[in-house]
Every structure is written in structure tokens, then in C-alpha cells.
Amino acid sequence: MLLWFVATAVLTVHTVFRDPRFDHRWLIVGVLLPDVVDVWFGGARVLHSVTGAVIVLTVVMLATIGRRPLRKRLLGIPIGVMLHLVFDGAFDDPNVFWWPFTGGFDDAALPVVSRGWWNLALEVAGAGLIAWSWRRFGLGDPERRRLFRTTGQLHPVATVD
């Protein structure tokens, strides 16, 4: 799954933080990271747990000590990982979600695998949200697309009421 995670994470962060300088590119990396990494370990593992998200946050914070502009950009990664847990429904498996406090991974499948055909419905919803976002952020304009590609910034198009 790609569209569901990207659309929900970008719209959530834009709505909650309302920071016009937020770099959404790193958010997208973070929201896709748990599935990209954990699939190589055979199922839902560390990055599908709260502990994994906290580890990612800790690594970013320690790696960017004294480099505030870099920290501001890279904080999108742990935010994305945490949002992945929410929009993946990772909390549905408490042994994985609360690892190592309540159990282990055993043979836990990735939530995206467990959901089966529901992924299609979520991807269609994600595509719809991306289409809406494309218009909302004026990404039909080449200059706005360039701004997003180079800075990760999204600015809503002014609307007239």
C-alpha cells in the first residue's frame, strides 16, 4: 500500500501542525518505512511497535544535536512512522504493538497482508485523497510542484467563500 499511507499522513500533518515550512518528503519516507523494512524480516516486527517508533525518534534527535534545521526536516521520519502505526491499524496486534512489554512477534503478518482485499478500498480512498490534495495545494501549477520537490512544502490554494 502506498497511496493510503501517503495521503493520510500528509493531510494529517498539514491539518494538525499547519507549519508552512514542514518538509513532507521526509514524512512520506517515514510513513512508508515500517512496511519497507519489516517485510524483509517476514512480518510485523520492530517498526510496527511503539518501541520502534520511539527508537526512530531517539536516533533522529541524537543524530541532529546542534543541527536544528536538519532536525526540523528529519522529524518528519518518526512522525511518519507513528502515523503508519495509526493508519495501518498496527494496534490491532497488542503483542507486536507493545513489544517488548507484552509479548513478541511470533508469526505476526504485516497488517497490510492481513487486511487482504480491504487494501484495494484503502488505496482507492488514498487516490481520492491525493486527487483532492492535488487541487487543494494547487499542484497543477509547475511552480508549486517544484516547491514541493525541492523543499517538501505544501501551501493551500486560497479559496474564496
Side-chain angles (χ1 to χ4, degrees):
M1 283 202 357
L2 176 75
L3 304 178
W4 170 251
F5 290 124
V6 170
T8 54
V10 167
L11 289 174
T12 298
V13 165
H14 179 75
T15 302
V16 171
F17 293 124
R18 297 192 180 272
D19 182 354
R21 295 165 302 172
F22 189 88
D23 191 338
H24 291 84
R25 298 170 302 174
W26 290 108
L27 174 72
I28 292 168
V29 168
V31 80
L32 298 176
L33 194 63
D35 283 348
V36 169
V37 171
D38 282 354
V39 73
W40 295 102
F41 295 99
R45 300 296 184 264
V46 174
L47 287 182
H48 279 82
S49 70
V50 172
T51 304
V54 171
I55 290 169
V56 172
L57 176 62
T58 302
V59 167
V60 168
M61 296 304 285
L62 291 174
T64 59
I65 291 173
R67 297 182 281 186
R68 191 176 175 120
L70 179 61
R71 175 177 284 177
K72 187 170 172 85
R73 285 194 309 273
L74 294 184
L75 274 175
I77 296 172
I79 292 169
V81 171
M82 291 177 195
L83 286 174
H84 180 96
L85 298 179
V86 172
F87 292 115
D88 205 16
F91 45 82
D92 196 38
D93 185 343
N95 287 332
V96 174
F97 187 71
W98 292 113
W99 173 87
F101 306 107
T102 60
F105 303 121
D106 299 322
D107 59 349
L110 289 171
V112 70
V113 172
S114 301
R115 253 190 315 275
W117 69 272
W118 279 102
N119 289 319
L120 178 61
L122 293 175
E123 284 296 278
V124 169
L129 290 170
I130 286 175
W132 180 85
S133 298
W134 185 271
R135 288 187 304 278
R136 175 78 172 114
F137 299 116
L139 294 173
D141 176 7
E143 181 55 30
R144 284 178 171 265
R145 283 195 310 273
R146 185 199 62 75
L147 180 68
F148 178 73
R149 274 193 321 273
T150 59
T151 68
Q153 294 177 8
L154 291 170
H155 302 281
V157 175
T159 57
V160 177
D161 291 327

